[in-house]
Amino acid sequence: MGINLFLAAETTASQAPNHLQQNFHHVPVLELASICINLTLLLVFLFVVSARQIVLCFGRIRVRKETSNRNSVASRHTGLVEGEGIRSLVIGRSYNATVFCCFYVLLVEVLVLGFDGVRLIKKAAHWTIILLPAAQSLSWFVLSFSALYRKYKFAEKFPLLLRIWWVASFLICLSVLYVDAREFLAEGSSHFSSHVLANFAVTPALGFLCFIAVRGVTDIQVYRNADLQEPLLEEEAGCLRVTPYSEAGLLSLVTLSWLNPLLSTGAKRPLELKDIPLLAPKDRSKTNYKALNSNWERLKAENPLKQPSLAWAILKTFWKEAASNAIFAGVNTLVSYVGPYMISYFVDYLGGKETFPHEGYILAGTFFTAKLVETLTTRQWYLGVDILGMHVRSALTAMVYRKGLRLSSSARQSHTSGEIVNYMAVDVQRVGDYSWYLHDIWMLPLQIILALAILYKNVGIASVATLIATIISIVATIPLARIQEDYQDKLMTAKDDRMRKTSECLRNMRILKLQAWEDRYRVKLEEMRGIEFKYLRKALYSQAFITFIFWSSPIFVSAVTFGTCIMLGGHLTAGSVLSALATFRILQEPLRNFPDLVSMMAQTKVSLDRIMGFLHEEELQEDATVALPRGISNVAIEIKDGEFSWDPSAPSPTLSSIQFRVQKGMRVAVCGVVGSGKSSFLSSILGEIPKISGEVRICGSAAYVSQSAWIQSGNIEENILFGSPMDKAKYKSVIHACSLKKDLELFSHGDQTIIGDRGINLSGGQKQRVQLARALYHDADIYLLDDPFSAVDAHTGSELFKEYIMTALATKTVVFVTHQVEFLPAADLILVLKEGRIIQSGKYDELLQAGTDFNALVSAHHEAIEAMDFCNQASEDSDKHDPPDSSVLTNKGDSVGNDIDSTANEVQQGASTSDQKAIKEKKKTKRSRRKQLVQEEERERGRVGWKVYWSYMTAAYKGLLIPCIILAQTLFQVLQIASSWWMAWANPQTTGEEPRTSSMVLLVVYMALAFGSSWFIFVRAVLVATFGLAAAQKLFMKMLRTVFRAPMSFFDSTPAGRILNRVSIDQSVVDLDIPFRLGGFASTTIQLLGIVGVMTQVTWQILLLVVPMAIACLWMQKYYMASSRELVRIVSIQKSPVIHLFAESIAGAATIRGFGQEKRFMKRNLYLLDCFARPFFCSLAAIEWLCLRMELLSTFVFAFCMILLVSFPHGTIDPSMAGLAVTYGLNLNARLSRWILSFCKLENKIISIERIHQYCEIPSEAPAIIEDSRPPSSWPENGTIELIDLKVRYKECLPVVLHGVSCTFPGGKKIGIVGRTGSGKSTLIQALFRLIEPAGGRIIIDSIDIATIGLHDLRSRLSIIPQDPTLFEGTIRGNLDPLEEHSDQEIWQALDKSQLGEIVRQKEHKLDTPVLENGDNWSVGQRQLVSLGRALLKQARILVLDEATASVDSATDNLIQKIIRTEFKNCTVCTIAHRIPTVIDSDLVLVLSDGRVAEFDTPSRLLEDKSSMFLKLVSEYSSRSNGIPDF
């Protein structure tokens, strides 16, 4: 600039001094000073930077010449630049504010430069006017980027030059402000200029920068390697990067560019969970849960008598987030009304009425700026709302989970696990979604006030009519919203019932298939869905009516406003009409959202009340058990005057008058008949059963083994460790003590075998021993074991007793419930319970002498043993010539144990040790190759196929409704545009002109067009609801039928959580979401085409931009969808483990509490919530990323349109048509982003259909009935079962379990099936019922190959009493006879025969006595007796008993055996048993070993054979029963 001035001076030398003086005479002194100071500081800055670069360069040359040891010193100097040794960076708010202020000042100076430049071009000002803004712009450009660069330099202080510059700028600014104020007072508004305005605008920012300059600190905290960093929980997830969002700069936050790395990865390949960065600490579940929980507890403590409000607790926790978000919402609302306000001025300008120079360009600039601010604030507002919702959801889910772990038994009975899962899956989701509507409550009045102000300017007093019409349209929806809420309420209740039943059916699918009841229960579920569907239909049609009212309300409001204005004699012009129409269009959004708001408030209130009700439920009594620290007392357990009851309202308590005291290290056995209160007694020690009175103390830690095994999904090792660290030596000894070594060798993956849902791929005995191992590894002081030996065979049982209780727990205090009388002599104390009281206690011999109940139990056991006596005789006779060997029968436990082991080894095909080693090696190599039973949840990859869309669109009425929906929407759009065009065309351009039609015609035509369009919206809404209902029902029925027809292997390998996820969350999306999303997408597409059509009608040149914009939009949408699709799929998959852990923890709550593991499970839940939130957060941000870019594009297109309109010479285009184009153009960016958003959301939601579709394609098991091959109605008559070379495997990829089993069970005979745990006994039975199809061989029953007939025909003719007795929620009658085939009299007979008649008669409701979920209000023994009752009712020719008497005492066992002998005397009875007396009187015994037939003969023959495995088992049992004191 100096050189140019110098050259100019040379050419005009004579007049130079004068000319320069005249030029600079225009510039005020302070402005000149400012220019000089800024340019000087700029030169100094450039000099410093250059000098530093030169020094660095020379430094590098010198470093190369120096030795490597100096090298380290040099690198220490450049270390900061490279970021060496930096671990993490925390950027404070004041740094962000500093950068923001710098860029803000730069923006103001650039705007002033632009404004002054335009004035200079138009010759309206002198060239010196741009000197100051040019110098300032240049300086602030350098200052802004220098401040921003501090972050990349990891600088903790600002440079001195920068600080001096800021202070100087602020001082100059203050001086200029002072002079301007004086001039203003003297000259008035004539002194007003762009420089004055700019100086005033930047003062606050410069003040803040001056303050920062004085402090000097950047507020960037650098953590180097030496500093400690908080360890991350999520290390499992394979990703240790924290989301860039937490540290993003201002520009990155505004443009959402922090998401770019993730999206670029997603564009290259499908995303995986490990690609997704971790959440920032403030966004993690733990942080939010702690904050919400502390507020909730504080509210509870403040007023214990009053129920605290959960909504208030949420508000107190998250109000700061909501408030900062409200700022964006408020600014957005204000700027959205700038356009409608300015339209009338714009139409006036186009009509030739120019009030000041360049008014057109300034108007276009104002429109553009308002749109730009609106775009940026919308995205920040929406993202903030989404994050707030995510925080609320995480915190509430964690609270519901924690409550689930602490529920008392009575509270647990009033909430089934299905309901509790629903609180989390549906209600918490809904409360989180409410964050979207949070600001609408205060924004709606603000929007109405702003709209009325603009309308008052345009139509005058008629705006009062607008207010009245608006209020009427809002009030009209309130009763509708009430009705909607009522339907929603009923819909949720019906959904809860269906989910509860579904959950129960999935849990007990094995029983349903064995009993051939699956069709009956499927029909029950279909009936429940029918009730739910009834309310769904009402909810959707009422929603359609509300949609109609709210699309009509803006039309109604505008008709009332214009009508009133015309009647009052007001003069409408095209400008005022278009301004009013644009205002109505903006008002349409809040009015249309109002019903959503009301119904969302109603739904959220319902959900909040449900969650609050649950959180207020009674928890376990804190003082039920007093836990003393280890070693403080010699008394391990003490109960004084204990009275306990599961149901506090019951007339008689469950346990009463309990006095009990156990010294440290004692072994206590608890026995008694079925239902005497043994399990409840253990629960009283654990504090699980509500205590009415008395005192319970325990000293030390406890471990609990429940009667029904609770196994967590995961591998066997995880189940044993149960959160404790791995100690190899201890782990090995635990495996040995629990006799698990051999079982683990049989598994292809050893202890890394993944256990299916509820331990499905373990036998009953293995489950029980894994439980025992878990307890032993826990190394507690007190062990509470609830009948741990019932599920294992005799040999394993005695081994367990010896290794586990007598050896491993020798120094521990053990309380064990048992029905095995043979273990009682080893106990230090025996308690005999009867009807909830301890009627006897003492040692074995003392109690025997005392007689009474204990005697009865022992004598029942001896009866069973005597039944085996003949075997002793038989074997003695056969061994007379070989006396030394007869010692086998009188030897004590140890030698028998060794004998059995050696026999087992002999039977194992005599494999040599070297062979066994080779086999082991082979197994190890195979382990890595073989697949596990439970696989990762499958997900599709890439685009959602058109097949999925097509299957949905044709699911209802073959897709005929789709064209009708599109037609209705198109007609609506055409009529809407026509009504706006009519109002713009018919009214005069300016106030003086005559209108083109009479007022009456104007109004009638407008109302006809407007209300015609609203009628089509009603048609569309009804059609969408009709289509959605039909499609949802069809998909649900298809999925339900496919799942119920799936083979058992599907349920074994699929956790119930996955199936529940599809029938609850995905089905909800299909029911309530997808039809409206599809309708919304169609309507937005047509609206967008309408807007572009109107704009091109006026300015065809807009097409030059619209076409490339459309291409850019489609490219960005494709780029975004690549990541978004995968993110949504990952979100769906990450939801299942949360639900699964939830359901699993609630089922095993007693075990979790018994081990004191609540904290660990809580942590696991928080971790899983974060795994879900990570992809969820990224998918939310990705939507905003896309919308921001789309809206910016459309904003530039709109600005281009405005510039074109302003540039045309006056009179070349019709101002009213141009105004109409602008009115529609104002909506372009919102519509475009809405269009893309609705498509993306539709594709994301359609993934639910994709997931349901997966479950409609599950391969089905064999047909239920094969018409051409139905067995005779009397089949099977004899009940002969032939097994021919039977081979069975659980899955294609798993090893064979039964290896060529061949034998024949003659009809009408009793067959005993025995063998060690895991030898294939239960697998054989599953093959008989075809739960598993044989891999080879055949099973023939009465000359019919069972593979040739339908499954229903087969299973309905066989009867089974299974190992796990299962009761369904309902009544006793429903449990015995779900198919309703028998009379009450027959049911009573069956109950009497199964020894339950008296118990049921004593109940108030007799046969309608309620059964709770899982039969929790009946003891395990009683449940087993109900299973017996089912078999007695069915009266099949073939009966299978699978460990049927494992859970009952000897007396009841003997009784059951007698009933079976008499009632099923002509039937083939196959009995799997661990208790030898149960099978000793069988006609034939089949001994299985490792899936092969070891022996098959009559018991007497087998007992004669000295090498027989059966003899060993019998000897084991009788010696265990007679020789126990030697343990």
Side-chain angles (χ1 to χ4, degrees), residues 1372 1376 1383-1403 1406-1407 1418 1422 1425-1433 1435 1452 1455-1456 1458-1460 1462-1464:
I1372 281 290
L1376 283 165
S1383 66
D1384 279 10
Q1385 187 186 353
E1386 288 173 310
I1387 293 172
W1388 277 117
Q1389 280 174 357
L1391 280 172
D1392 287 334
K1393 285 173 185 169
S1394 58
Q1395 309 302 306
L1396 278 172
E1398 275 314 302
I1399 297 170
V1400 176
R1401 280 192 184 88
Q1402 285 165 16
K1403 306 271 184 188
K1406 306 289 189 280
L1407 288 179
W1418 297 78
Q1422 287 168 332
L1425 294 173
V1426 172
S1427 297
L1428 174 63
R1430 286 175 188 156
L1432 288 163
L1433 268 180
Q1435 284 296 336
T1452 315
L1455 200 71
I1456 290 173
K1458 276 178 191 161
I1459 294 164
I1460 289 167
T1462 52
E1463 296 297 326
F1464 297 97

Side-chain angles (χ1 to χ4, degrees), residues 407-423:
L407 277 189
S408 72
S409 63
S410 55
R412 178 71 185 77
Q413 284 172 13
S414 56
H415 300 274
T416 62
S417 52
E419 270 173 33
I420 298 173
V421 168
N422 245 0
Y423 293 141

Side-chain angles (χ1 to χ4, degrees), residues 669-736:
V670 181
C671 57
V673 295
V674 172
S676 59
K678 301 182 294 298
S679 298
S680 301
F681 176 71
L682 290 189
S683 297
S684 71
I685 300 171
L686 286 167
E688 291 287 323
I689 180 169
K691 182 174 75 177
I692 297 168
S693 64
E695 193 180 353
V696 183
R697 287 168 185 270
I698 66 166
C699 180
S701 60
Y704 169 62
V705 175
S706 57
Q707 188 171 7
S708 307
W710 177 73
I711 302 290
Q712 238 192 311
S713 51
N715 60 37
I716 295 174
E717 183 190 286
E718 285 166 8
N719 265 284
I720 294 172
L721 296 182
F722 207 53
S724 305
M726 167 59 96
D727 173 343
K728 281 284 183 199
K730 181 175 166 187
Y731 184 73
K732 272 189 172 171
S733 65
V734 166
I735 296 288
H736 171 71

Side-chain angles (χ1 to χ4, degrees), residues 95-116:
Y95 173 78
N96 288 335
T98 305
V99 175
F100 174 80
C101 286
C102 289
F103 276 98
Y104 166 73
V105 177
L106 173 62
L107 179 69
V108 171
E109 296 302 344
V110 169
L111 286 173
V112 172
L113 181 63
F115 183 78
D116 288 351

